[in-house]
Amino acid sequence: FVSTLQNPSISNAQTSHAGIYTVTVTSSAGCSATATANVVVNVIPSAPTSVGGNRCGPGTVTMTASGCSGGTISWYSSLTGGTALVTGTTYTTPSLSTTTTYYLECSLNGCVSSTRSTAVATINAIPTAS
């Protein structure tokens, strides 16, 4: 990779772009200095998976997730943005009276999955006995 730009970058960098880069700066007087930088390109992790959970009648639902090996799973109440409700492979909802969808993402080495997956906490109606 060679560039004459003051702030060069590689768009859509791949892990193959990782390595040691040498930077040489030359002043208008012809003086130069050289430095090296070790560049690491991390892979964007995939969103974790969850099968959700269910219960009969109002109450809490415990859901589990997987697919974020070495990273951190964060649970959200919205598809985008927001603050994580909790981190970890399990999440127990507050007491619910209706089916509710939650969203999960994986963060690994400073990178976050580009999409969030869904986990549905299903509240089934209790049948009436007659």
Side-chain angles (χ1 to χ4, degrees):
F1 171 71
V2 176
S3 176
T4 57
L5 296 174
Q6 183 174 355
N7 295 302
S9 64
I10 299 174
S11 297
N12 299 314
Q14 304 295 315
T15 54
S16 61
H17 291 111
I20 298 175
Y21 285 76
T22 301
V23 178
T24 302
V25 178
T26 305
S27 71
S28 58
C31 301
S32 62
T34 302
T36 59
N38 184 27
V39 175
V40 176
V41 179
N42 294 317
V43 175
I44 295 175
S46 299
T49 57
S50 174
V51 293
N54 63 76
R55 67 169 291 120
C56 293
T60 63
V61 177
T62 299
M63 299 179 289
T64 60
S66 62
C68 185
S69 181
T72 301
I73 295 173
S74 297
W75 298 76
Y76 294 85
S77 60
S78 58
L79 180 59
T80 59
T83 302
L85 301 169
V86 68
T87 60
T89 57
T90 62
Y91 173 57
T92 300
T93 70
S95 185
L96 302 173
S97 58
T98 61
T99 296
T100 305
T101 302
Y102 293 90
Y103 304 90
L104 303 82
E105 70 183 19
C106 174
S107 57
L108 177 65
N109 297 321
C111 299
V112 178
S113 51
S114 57
T115 59
R116 289 182 182 168
S117 58
T118 59
V120 179
T122 303
I123 305 300
N124 297 308
I126 298 173
T128 40
S130 48

